[in-house]
Amino acid sequence: MVETFFHALKTDGLQPDVHAYNALINVYCQMGYMVKAYELTDMMMRDGVSPDVATYNGLMHGLIKRGFILESRELFDELVRRGFSPDKFTYTNIIHGCSKQAKFEEAYLIWCTMSEHGTKPDVVTCSALLSGLCKAKRTHEASLLFQRMLNIGLEPDLILYNTLICGFCGEGNVDEAFNLLSMMAKHGVLPDNSTCQSLIYGLEKKGIENPIESAALKLDQIFCAI
Protein backbone atom coordinates (compact mmCIF):
# COMPACT_ATOMS: atom_id res chain seq x y z
CA MET A 1 0.00 0.00 0.00
CA VAL A 2 2.88 2.36 0.76
CA GLU A 3 4.31 1.62 -2.69
CA THR A 4 0.91 2.27 -4.28
CA PHE A 5 0.51 5.66 -2.62
CA PHE A 6 4.10 6.60 -3.39
CA HIS A 7 3.84 5.81 -7.10
CA ALA A 8 0.43 7.50 -7.24
CA LEU A 9 2.16 10.73 -6.20
CA LYS A 10 4.56 10.49 -9.13
CA THR A 11 1.79 9.48 -11.56
CA ASP A 12 -0.22 12.56 -10.55
CA GLY A 13 2.80 14.75 -11.24
CA LEU A 14 3.60 15.43 -7.60
CA GLN A 15 7.19 15.32 -6.38
CA PRO A 16 7.61 13.20 -3.22
CA ASP A 17 9.57 14.96 -0.51
CA VAL A 18 12.24 13.45 1.74
CA HIS A 19 9.61 12.22 4.23
CA ALA A 20 7.72 10.32 1.52
CA TYR A 21 10.93 8.70 0.28
CA ASN A 22 11.98 7.82 3.83
CA ALA A 23 8.64 6.17 4.55
CA LEU A 24 9.05 3.74 1.65
CA ILE A 25 12.77 3.24 2.26
CA ASN A 26 11.99 2.26 5.86
CA VAL A 27 9.37 -0.25 4.67
CA TYR A 28 11.90 -1.86 2.32
CA CYS A 29 14.57 -1.97 5.03
CA GLN A 30 12.21 -3.51 7.58
CA MET A 31 11.23 -6.22 5.08
CA GLY A 32 14.82 -6.89 4.04
CA TYR A 33 14.50 -5.49 0.51
CA MET A 34 17.81 -3.67 0.69
CA VAL A 35 18.34 -3.58 -3.09
CA LYS A 36 15.00 -1.81 -3.49
CA ALA A 37 15.90 0.55 -0.65
CA TYR A 38 19.16 1.54 -2.35
CA GLU A 39 17.44 1.88 -5.74
CA LEU A 40 14.90 4.22 -4.17
CA THR A 41 17.68 6.22 -2.54
CA ASP A 42 19.30 6.63 -5.97
CA MET A 43 15.94 7.73 -7.45
CA MET A 44 15.58 10.19 -4.60
CA MET A 45 18.88 11.87 -5.42
CA ARG A 46 18.15 11.88 -9.17
CA ASP A 47 14.94 13.74 -8.35
CA GLY A 48 16.97 16.36 -6.52
CA VAL A 49 15.83 15.29 -3.04
CA SER A 50 18.75 15.04 -0.61
CA PRO A 51 18.83 12.17 1.90
CA ASP A 52 18.71 13.22 5.54
CA VAL A 53 19.70 11.56 8.81
CA ALA A 54 16.45 9.56 8.84
CA THR A 55 17.32 8.10 5.41
CA TYR A 56 20.68 6.92 6.68
CA ASN A 57 19.14 5.58 9.89
CA GLY A 58 16.68 3.45 7.94
CA LEU A 59 19.38 2.02 5.69
CA MET A 60 21.74 1.36 8.61
CA HIS A 61 19.02 -0.40 10.59
CA GLY A 62 18.18 -2.63 7.64
CA LEU A 63 21.82 -3.54 7.07
CA ILE A 64 22.52 -4.30 10.74
CA LYS A 65 19.36 -6.38 11.04
CA ARG A 66 20.68 -8.61 8.27
CA GLY A 67 24.26 -8.81 9.51
CA PHE A 68 25.90 -6.30 7.14
CA ILE A 69 27.76 -4.55 9.94
CA LEU A 70 30.72 -3.28 7.91
CA GLU A 71 28.39 -1.72 5.34
CA SER A 72 26.41 -0.01 8.08
CA ARG A 73 29.61 1.48 9.52
CA GLU A 74 30.54 2.78 6.07
CA LEU A 75 27.14 4.49 5.90
CA PHE A 76 27.76 6.04 9.32
CA ASP A 77 31.09 7.42 8.12
CA GLU A 78 29.46 8.74 4.94
CA LEU A 79 26.78 10.48 6.98
CA VAL A 80 29.43 12.27 9.03
CA ARG A 81 31.46 13.19 5.92
CA ARG A 82 28.40 14.81 4.40
CA GLY A 83 28.16 17.12 7.39
CA PHE A 84 25.13 15.57 9.09
CA SER A 85 24.92 15.39 12.86
CA PRO A 86 24.14 11.80 13.90
CA ASP A 87 21.13 11.58 16.23
CA LYS A 88 20.48 9.07 19.00
CA PHE A 89 18.94 6.60 16.53
CA THR A 90 22.09 6.73 14.39
CA TYR A 91 24.28 6.07 17.42
CA THR A 92 22.01 3.30 18.68
CA ASN A 93 22.18 1.59 15.28
CA ILE A 94 25.95 1.70 14.99
CA ILE A 95 26.55 0.73 18.64
CA HIS A 96 24.19 -2.21 18.21
CA GLY A 97 26.06 -3.23 15.06
CA CYS A 98 29.46 -3.07 16.75
CA SER A 99 28.12 -5.05 19.71
CA LYS A 100 26.79 -7.79 17.42
CA GLN A 101 30.34 -8.24 16.12
CA ALA A 102 31.74 -8.16 19.68
CA LYS A 103 33.60 -4.92 18.89
CA PHE A 104 32.80 -3.58 22.34
CA GLU A 105 35.76 -1.22 22.61
CA GLU A 106 34.70 0.48 19.39
CA ALA A 107 31.07 0.58 20.52
CA TYR A 108 32.07 2.07 23.87
CA LEU A 109 34.24 4.69 22.17
CA ILE A 110 31.32 5.72 19.96
CA TRP A 111 29.09 5.87 23.05
CA CYS A 112 31.60 8.13 24.79
CA THR A 113 31.80 10.54 21.83
CA MET A 114 28.06 11.09 21.56
CA SER A 115 28.10 14.13 23.84
CA GLU A 116 30.91 15.69 21.80
CA HIS A 117 28.54 15.74 18.83
CA GLY A 118 25.71 17.27 20.84
CA THR A 119 23.76 14.04 21.40
CA LYS A 120 23.14 12.89 24.95
CA PRO A 121 23.21 9.10 25.44
CA ASP A 122 19.85 7.67 26.44
CA VAL A 123 18.67 4.39 27.95
CA VAL A 124 18.02 2.79 24.55
CA THR A 125 21.55 3.55 23.36
CA CYS A 126 23.00 2.11 26.58
CA SER A 127 20.83 -0.99 26.24
CA ALA A 128 22.32 -1.70 22.80
CA LEU A 129 25.81 -1.92 24.31
CA LEU A 130 24.79 -3.59 27.58
CA SER A 131 22.89 -6.30 25.73
CA GLY A 132 25.94 -7.19 23.65
CA LEU A 133 28.20 -7.31 26.70
CA CYS A 134 25.80 -9.55 28.61
CA LYS A 135 25.37 -11.93 25.67
CA ALA A 136 29.17 -12.19 25.50
CA LYS A 137 29.21 -12.97 29.25
CA ARG A 138 31.16 -9.80 29.99
CA THR A 139 28.93 -8.82 32.87
CA HIS A 140 31.70 -7.08 34.82
CA GLU A 141 32.11 -4.57 32.00
CA ALA A 142 28.34 -4.30 31.71
CA SER A 143 28.19 -3.42 35.42
CA LEU A 144 30.79 -0.67 34.97
CA LEU A 145 28.89 0.81 32.04
CA PHE A 146 25.64 0.57 34.00
CA GLN A 147 27.23 2.50 36.87
CA ARG A 148 28.52 5.14 34.51
CA MET A 149 25.04 5.41 33.03
CA LEU A 150 23.63 6.03 36.51
CA ASN A 151 26.34 8.61 37.21
CA ILE A 152 25.30 10.74 34.22
CA GLY A 153 21.71 10.77 35.43
CA LEU A 154 20.02 8.18 33.20
CA GLU A 155 17.19 6.17 34.74
CA PRO A 156 17.09 2.48 33.72
CA ASP A 157 13.83 1.09 32.38
CA LEU A 158 12.49 -2.45 32.74
CA ILE A 159 14.14 -3.63 29.50
CA LEU A 160 17.56 -2.50 30.66
CA TYR A 161 17.11 -4.07 34.11
CA ASN A 162 16.00 -7.33 32.48
CA THR A 163 19.03 -7.29 30.19
CA LEU A 164 21.40 -7.11 33.15
CA ILE A 165 19.45 -9.55 35.32
CA CYS A 166 19.42 -12.06 32.45
CA GLY A 167 23.17 -11.62 32.04
CA PHE A 168 23.94 -12.18 35.71
CA CYS A 169 21.53 -15.08 36.07
CA GLY A 170 23.03 -16.69 32.99
CA GLU A 171 26.28 -16.90 34.95
CA GLY A 172 24.52 -18.05 38.12
CA ASN A 173 25.30 -14.75 39.84
CA VAL A 174 21.92 -14.33 41.50
CA ASP A 175 23.29 -12.04 44.24
CA GLU A 176 23.92 -9.29 41.66
CA ALA A 177 20.50 -10.02 40.20
CA PHE A 178 18.95 -9.53 43.66
CA ASN A 179 20.75 -6.19 43.99
CA LEU A 180 19.23 -5.06 40.70
CA LEU A 181 15.80 -6.22 41.83
CA SER A 182 16.15 -4.12 44.98
CA MET A 183 17.12 -1.14 42.84
CA MET A 184 14.06 -1.74 40.66
CA ALA A 185 11.81 -1.79 43.72
CA LYS A 186 13.36 1.41 45.05
CA HIS A 187 12.63 3.22 41.77
CA GLY A 188 9.16 1.78 41.28
CA VAL A 189 10.02 -0.47 38.32
CA LEU A 190 7.97 -3.66 38.57
CA PRO A 191 9.23 -7.04 37.28
CA ASP A 192 7.56 -8.92 34.44
CA ASN A 193 7.59 -12.52 33.22
CA SER A 194 11.05 -12.10 31.66
CA THR A 195 12.42 -10.97 35.03
CA CYS A 196 10.92 -14.02 36.74
CA GLN A 197 12.16 -16.48 34.11
CA SER A 198 15.70 -15.10 34.31
CA LEU A 199 15.68 -15.38 38.10
CA ILE A 200 14.40 -18.97 37.98
CA TYR A 201 17.15 -19.87 35.51
CA GLY A 202 19.80 -18.25 37.69
CA LEU A 203 18.62 -20.13 40.77
CA GLU A 204 18.61 -23.39 38.82
CA LYS A 205 22.13 -22.71 37.61
CA LYS A 206 23.24 -22.10 41.19
CA GLY A 207 21.77 -25.45 42.23
CA ILE A 208 18.93 -24.09 44.38
CA GLU A 209 16.14 -26.59 45.02
CA ASN A 210 12.63 -25.52 43.97
CA PRO A 211 13.86 -22.51 41.96
CA ILE A 212 10.34 -21.44 40.97
CA GLU A 213 9.24 -21.28 44.60
CA SER A 214 12.49 -19.59 45.64
CA ALA A 215 12.15 -16.97 42.89
CA ALA A 216 8.55 -16.21 43.87
CA LEU A 217 9.54 -15.88 47.54
CA LYS A 218 12.44 -13.54 46.76
CA LEU A 219 10.32 -11.32 44.51
CA ASP A 220 7.65 -11.20 47.20
CA GLN A 221 10.22 -10.18 49.83
CA ILE A 222 11.66 -7.40 47.68
CA PHE A 223 8.57 -5.91 46.08
CA CYS A 224 6.04 -6.35 48.88
CA ALA A 225 8.37 -4.40 51.18
CA ILE A 226 7.93 -1.18 49.18
Side-chain angles (χ1 to χ4, degrees), residues 41 81 92 101 133 141 146 151-152 184 199 214:
T41 305
R81 283 198 308 271
T92 300
Q101 283 196 326
L133 288 168
E141 293 165 79
F146 179 67
N151 291 340
I152 63 175
M184 285 174 61
L199 192 55
S214 297

PDB file of all heavy atoms in Angstrom, residues 41 81 92 101 133 141 146 151-152 184 199 214:
ATOM      1  N   THR A  41      16.785   5.146  -2.969  1.00  0.00           N
ATOM      2  CA  THR A  41      17.681   6.224  -2.538  1.00  0.00           C
ATOM      3  C   THR A  41      18.329   6.889  -3.743  1.00  0.00           C
ATOM      4  O   THR A  41      18.465   8.119  -3.798  1.00  0.00           O
ATOM      5  CB  THR A  41      18.765   5.680  -1.587  1.00  0.00           C
ATOM      6  OG1 THR A  41      18.144   5.002  -0.487  1.00  0.00           O
ATOM      7  CG2 THR A  41      19.625   6.810  -1.035  1.00  0.00           C
ATOM      8  N   ARG A  81      30.725  12.465   6.955  1.00  0.00           N
ATOM      9  CA  ARG A  81      31.463  13.193   5.920  1.00  0.00           C
ATOM     10  C   ARG A  81      30.582  14.213   5.208  1.00  0.00           C
ATOM     11  O   ARG A  81      31.060  15.266   4.786  1.00  0.00           O
ATOM     12  CB  ARG A  81      32.031  12.212   4.874  1.00  0.00           C
ATOM     13  CG  ARG A  81      33.256  11.454   5.315  1.00  0.00           C
ATOM     14  CD  ARG A  81      33.995  10.855   4.126  1.00  0.00           C
ATOM     15  NE  ARG A  81      33.118  10.069   3.255  1.00  0.00           N
ATOM     16  CZ  ARG A  81      32.886   8.778   3.410  1.00  0.00           C
ATOM     17  NH1 ARG A  81      33.443   8.129   4.432  1.00  0.00           N
ATOM     18  NH2 ARG A  81      32.103   8.131   2.578  1.00  0.00           N
ATOM     19  N   THR A  92      22.527   4.579  18.205  1.00  0.00           N
ATOM     20  CA  THR A  92      22.008   3.295  18.684  1.00  0.00           C
ATOM     21  C   THR A  92      22.225   2.216  17.639  1.00  0.00           C
ATOM     22  O   THR A  92      22.626   1.086  17.962  1.00  0.00           O
ATOM     23  CB  THR A  92      20.512   3.411  19.029  1.00  0.00           C
ATOM     24  OG1 THR A  92      20.340   4.396  20.047  1.00  0.00           O
ATOM     25  CG2 THR A  92      19.964   2.082  19.523  1.00  0.00           C
ATOM     26  N   GLN A 101      29.066  -7.672  16.566  1.00  0.00           N
ATOM     27  CA  GLN A 101      30.337  -8.236  16.122  1.00  0.00           C
ATOM     28  C   GLN A 101      31.352  -8.345  17.262  1.00  0.00           C
ATOM     29  O   GLN A 101      32.520  -8.635  17.025  1.00  0.00           O
ATOM     30  CB  GLN A 101      30.932  -7.367  15.011  1.00  0.00           C
ATOM     31  CG  GLN A 101      30.276  -7.561  13.657  1.00  0.00           C
ATOM     32  CD  GLN A 101      31.119  -7.007  12.535  1.00  0.00           C
ATOM     33  OE1 GLN A 101      31.813  -6.013  12.686  1.00  0.00           O
ATOM     34  NE2 GLN A 101      31.055  -7.653  11.378  1.00  0.00           N
ATOM     35  N   LEU A 133      27.256  -6.885  25.662  1.00  0.00           N
ATOM     36  CA  LEU A 133      28.199  -7.306  26.701  1.00  0.00           C
ATOM     37  C   LEU A 133      27.663  -8.497  27.490  1.00  0.00           C
ATOM     38  O   LEU A 133      28.403  -9.445  27.788  1.00  0.00           O
ATOM     39  CB  LEU A 133      28.493  -6.135  27.643  1.00  0.00           C
ATOM     40  CG  LEU A 133      29.361  -5.009  27.069  1.00  0.00           C
ATOM     41  CD1 LEU A 133      29.332  -3.794  27.998  1.00  0.00           C
ATOM     42  CD2 LEU A 133      30.796  -5.479  26.861  1.00  0.00           C
ATOM     43  N   GLU A 141      32.064  -5.796  32.787  1.00  0.00           N
ATOM     44  CA  GLU A 141      32.112  -4.573  31.995  1.00  0.00           C
ATOM     45  C   GLU A 141      30.724  -3.952  31.873  1.00  0.00           C
ATOM     46  O   GLU A 141      30.573  -2.728  31.869  1.00  0.00           O
ATOM     47  CB  GLU A 141      32.686  -4.872  30.606  1.00  0.00           C
ATOM     48  CG  GLU A 141      34.146  -5.266  30.628  1.00  0.00           C
ATOM     49  CD  GLU A 141      34.587  -5.886  29.326  1.00  0.00           C
ATOM     50  OE1 GLU A 141      34.827  -5.130  28.376  1.00  0.00           O
ATOM     51  OE2 GLU A 141      34.693  -7.130  29.263  1.00  0.00           O
ATOM     52  N   PHE A 146      26.905   0.279  33.325  1.00  0.00           N
ATOM     53  CA  PHE A 146      25.640   0.574  33.997  1.00  0.00           C
ATOM     54  C   PHE A 146      25.855   1.634  35.075  1.00  0.00           C
ATOM     55  O   PHE A 146      25.066   2.577  35.206  1.00  0.00           O
ATOM     56  CB  PHE A 146      25.089  -0.706  34.621  1.00  0.00           C
ATOM     57  CG  PHE A 146      23.792  -0.529  35.358  1.00  0.00           C
ATOM     58  CD1 PHE A 146      22.635  -0.195  34.688  1.00  0.00           C
ATOM     59  CD2 PHE A 146      23.733  -0.695  36.743  1.00  0.00           C
ATOM     60  CE1 PHE A 146      21.430  -0.033  35.367  1.00  0.00           C
ATOM     61  CE2 PHE A 146      22.546  -0.534  37.426  1.00  0.00           C
ATOM     62  CZ  PHE A 146      21.390  -0.208  36.740  1.00  0.00           C
ATOM     63  N   ASN A 151      25.604   7.409  36.804  1.00  0.00           N
ATOM     64  CA  ASN A 151      26.342   8.614  37.209  1.00  0.00           C
ATOM     65  C   ASN A 151      26.013   9.825  36.350  1.00  0.00           C
ATOM     66  O   ASN A 151      26.124  10.966  36.816  1.00  0.00           O
ATOM     67  CB  ASN A 151      27.851   8.353  37.174  1.00  0.00           C
ATOM     68  CG  ASN A 151      28.299   7.380  38.253  1.00  0.00           C
ATOM     69  OD1 ASN A 151      27.597   7.164  39.242  1.00  0.00           O
ATOM     70  ND2 ASN A 151      29.461   6.774  38.070  1.00  0.00           N
ATOM     71  N   ILE A 152      25.634   9.601  35.077  1.00  0.00           N
ATOM     72  CA  ILE A 152      25.300  10.743  34.222  1.00  0.00           C
ATOM     73  C   ILE A 152      23.806  11.060  34.264  1.00  0.00           C
ATOM     74  O   ILE A 152      23.326  11.896  33.493  1.00  0.00           O
ATOM     75  CB  ILE A 152      25.760  10.519  32.761  1.00  0.00           C
ATOM     76  CG1 ILE A 152      25.037   9.327  32.124  1.00  0.00           C
ATOM     77  CG2 ILE A 152      27.261  10.341  32.693  1.00  0.00           C
ATOM     78  CD1 ILE A 152      25.369   9.145  30.637  1.00  0.00           C
ATOM     79  N   MET A 184      15.330  -1.875  41.379  1.00  0.00           N
ATOM     80  CA  MET A 184      14.063  -1.738  40.661  1.00  0.00           C
ATOM     81  C   MET A 184      12.938  -1.341  41.614  1.00  0.00           C
ATOM     82  O   MET A 184      12.166  -0.423  41.343  1.00  0.00           O
ATOM     83  CB  MET A 184      13.703  -3.057  39.971  1.00  0.00           C
ATOM     84  CG  MET A 184      14.493  -3.374  38.727  1.00  0.00           C
ATOM     85  SD  MET A 184      14.116  -5.043  38.077  1.00  0.00           S
ATOM     86  CE  MET A 184      12.362  -4.916  37.706  1.00  0.00           C
ATOM     87  N   LEU A 199      15.356 -15.071  36.709  1.00  0.00           N
ATOM     88  CA  LEU A 199      15.676 -15.377  38.098  1.00  0.00           C
ATOM     89  C   LEU A 199      15.579 -16.882  38.366  1.00  0.00           C
ATOM     90  O   LEU A 199      16.440 -17.468  39.039  1.00  0.00           O
ATOM     91  CB  LEU A 199      14.729 -14.612  39.025  1.00  0.00           C
ATOM     92  CG  LEU A 199      15.081 -14.593  40.508  1.00  0.00           C
ATOM     93  CD1 LEU A 199      16.490 -14.067  40.738  1.00  0.00           C
ATOM     94  CD2 LEU A 199      14.064 -13.754  41.279  1.00  0.00           C
ATOM     95  N   SER A 214      11.486 -20.504  45.077  1.00  0.00           N
ATOM     96  CA  SER A 214      12.486 -19.592  45.639  1.00  0.00           C
ATOM     97  C   SER A 214      12.433 -18.224  44.961  1.00  0.00           C
ATOM     98  O   SER A 214      12.556 -17.184  45.609  1.00  0.00           O
ATOM     99  CB  SER A 214      13.887 -20.184  45.489  1.00  0.00           C
ATOM    100  OG  SER A 214      14.004 -21.387  46.213  1.00  0.00           O
TER     101      SER A 214
END
